[in-house]
Amino acid sequence: MEIPTEALERLVAFRRELHRWPELGFQERETSRRVCEQLDALGVEYVTGLAGTGVVAWLRGARGGGAGSVGLRADMDALPLEEHSGVDYASRNPGCMHACGHDGHTTMLLGAIEYLQRHNDFDGTVHFVFQPAEEGVGGGKAMVADGLFSRFPMGEIYALHNAPGLPVGRFGVIPGPIMAGGDRIDITIHGQGGHGGMNPHGCIDPVRIAAELIQKAHTIVSREVDPLSPAVLSICAIQSGSLAGFNVIPHTATLAGTMRFLDRATAERLRSSLRALCASLEQYYGARIELAIDDTFAVTVNDSEATETGIAVIRDSFGDEALQPDHQPSMGSEDFAFMLEACRGAYVHVGAGDETHTHGLHSQQYDFNDRIIPHGVRLLSGLARESLARQAG
């Protein structure tokens, strides 16, 4: 399968235009409009408005509507970062950039639509899901709640993500957990402020408590969790007092962080241990500690049969050597997990690393590698065709 040069140049130009105008989760109005503009040009049917800014398009094969159906999903949102990539198509929206490659994923899915429209000798229906708000704000869950699978029944659904840690030409897919579940942690410590020189003994110092909480929280994984079960607990932010008030003990301290896990038992162990830690510090210091745990992401679990479909497509389309041996789950999270809870399917990592693309995801220097657009188009198109063929039996 080859993408014509003219078509590839068009896709690259479209991707870079999306990159210039990134939008945060549930705010992707201009991105959705641009997607719909491309769908109109192709004459493809679609609906808008799922989860606010989501778009779902579909194609029926020339061999008949069939009973089979498959979904292909791409995410559209950007991150709240100031771009430092130095590319001439850098973000023109201050404080917002495509630092995870969702501009590339959206472009790949549009390329797959165009390819499958030209090569429509399949039986069944392919649904193309343009999802908003993947970056921790619940777009996948919202699309499912908004009737994605009841309005558009699918036998399977697939998604991909560029992976700068894999070389271009390599693909990673495994059955079972491939991306971690993730919780957001928010902690507020309510103490009693005062003078740091005259009266520290009469205060309940939230900074002191926060320091102890951080130190002890970072031992939970090493001492409370089964060492054979991957887990991460990171307190990533703390705010308390003012640097100008160097001698003022503040009243409160707030902390935020994340927990990651690959199974429910580990998730519950992390949560219960952190709750116990907060309760013990609260009692010892006489403070009041509020702990909120938001289960932002479920574990992304690949169906075994869908994974076999992915492996077959990678080998057929790119060769046996393209399949990354001993691929490991990532402790990053992905809200495609909620779609996989509702519909069987698989998630594939697409190698994007080369000598000019060395920055990782969520870096202010990151830029999507346009070299892999044809890889994504071939992979998505192949997954759709192979899935429908297998569903037909």
Side-chain angles (χ1 to χ4, degrees):
M1 166 189 164
E2 294 295 331
I3 300 177
T5 301
E6 179 274 331
L8 180 56
E9 290 175 349
R10 199 166 11 90
L11 289 172
V12 170
F14 179 80
R15 199 284 294 183
R16 294 182 177 186
E17 188 63 15
L18 287 186
H19 193 88
R20 287 187 183 95
W21 302 106
E23 296 173 297
L24 299 179
F26 294 123
Q27 300 175 28
E28 309 92 341
R29 288 176 286 276
E30 182 64 14
T31 304
S32 293
R33 185 195 68 77
R34 291 178 187 275
V35 167
C36 293
E37 194 173 68
Q38 296 297 309
L39 296 174
D40 287 333
L42 293 170
V44 174
E45 296 178 277
Y46 64 89
V47 298
T48 62
L50 269 81
T53 51
V55 179
V56 179
W58 59 90
L59 285 174
R60 296 181 178 87
R63 293 172 57 186
S69 61
V70 62
L72 303 174
R73 170 273 204 176
D75 35 20
M76 299 189 295
D77 58 323
L79 283 157
L81 291 174
E82 194 71 39
E83 181 161 358
H84 296 157
S85 68
V87 298
D88 59 8
Y89 46 85
S91 171
R92 296 181 184 176
N93 285 340
C96 186
M97 74 169 287
H98 273 296
C100 203
H102 296 183
D103 49 346
H105 304 161
T106 297
T107 300
M108 289 168 164
L109 190 54
L110 286 167
I113 294 174
E114 188 171 353
Y115 179 84
L116 290 169
Q117 189 180 47
R118 293 198 312 266
H119 302 84
N120 64 348
D121 56 333
F122 55 86
D123 185 8
T125 303
V126 186
H127 294 98
F128 307 92
V129 181
F130 295 89
Q131 181 205 308
E134 189 280 329
E135 295 288 359
V137 284
K141 182 186 288 188
M143 287 197 90
V144 173
D146 213 4
L148 174 64
F149 294 112
S150 59
R151 295 177 63 181
F152 308 98
M154 304 176 203
E156 293 182 333
I157 188 165
Y158 293 87
L160 57 73
H161 203 292
N162 77 100
L166 289 178
V168 170
R170 286 291 184 95
F171 300 80
V173 61
I174 52 175
I178 189 169
M179 298 289 286
D183 288 355
R184 173 173 175 155
I185 306 163
D186 288 286
I187 302 170
T188 302
I189 302 169
H190 299 274
Q192 181 175 315
H195 197 294
M198 292 175 57
N199 191 38
H201 60 289
C203 301
I204 300 174
D205 186 349
V207 176
R208 173 192 180 191
I209 299 169
E212 185 169 344
L213 191 155
I214 292 169
Q215 189 275 327
K216 289 183 175 177
H218 285 164
T219 68
I220 288 175
V221 169
S222 63
R223 288 297 178 267
E224 302 295 332
V225 174
D226 184 340
L228 298 181
S229 181
V232 176
L233 192 160
S234 294
I235 304 298
C236 301
I238 177 171
Q239 293 182 353
S240 186
S242 167
L243 294 180
F246 67 95
N247 62 350
V248 178
I249 294 174
H251 288 286
T252 62
T254 57
L255 302 88
T258 185
M259 298 189 290
R260 304 296 171 101
F261 40 82
L262 294 179
D263 61 79
R264 291 181 179 177
T266 300
E268 286 307 313
R269 184 63 174 170
L270 289 168
R271 293 163 184 165
S272 63
S273 296
L274 186 59
R275 291 188 185 105
L277 172 60
C278 289
S280 67
L281 292 173
E282 186 177 53
Q283 182 177 16
Y284 181 80
Y285 286 107
R288 181 166 62 88
I289 301 178
E290 297 178 79
L291 169 63
I293 300 174
D294 180 8
D295 55 343
T296 309
F297 295 102
V299 180
T300 304
V301 181
N302 281 350
D303 174 80
S304 58
E305 290 185 15
T307 301
E308 287 302 315
T309 297
I311 291 170
V313 170
I314 291 165
R315 285 177 167 160
D316 289 347
S317 299
F318 305 97
D320 289 344
E321 69 284 355
L323 192 65
Q324 178 71 10
D326 302 320
H327 192 58
Q328 297 299 311
S330 167
M331 296 310 286
S333 297
E334 165 63 69
D335 81 350
F336 184 61
F338 297 107
M339 295 187 185
L340 290 182
E341 286 185 333
C343 177
R344 74 176 190 174
Y347 183 80
V348 183
H349 292 133
V350 179
D354 61 21
E355 62 282 357
T356 59
H357 293 82
T358 58
H359 295 290
L361 303 175
H362 293 211
S363 164
Q364 290 175 288
Q365 289 80 37
Y366 169 87
D367 182 35
F368 181 83
N369 191 344
D370 289 326
R371 282 181 61 194
I372 71 168
I373 289 176
H375 295 178
V377 173
R378 290 172 66 184
L379 177 64
L380 291 168
S381 302
L383 288 169
R385 295 172 67 92
E386 182 68 14
S387 176
L388 290 176
R390 291 195 176 194
Q391 288 181 54

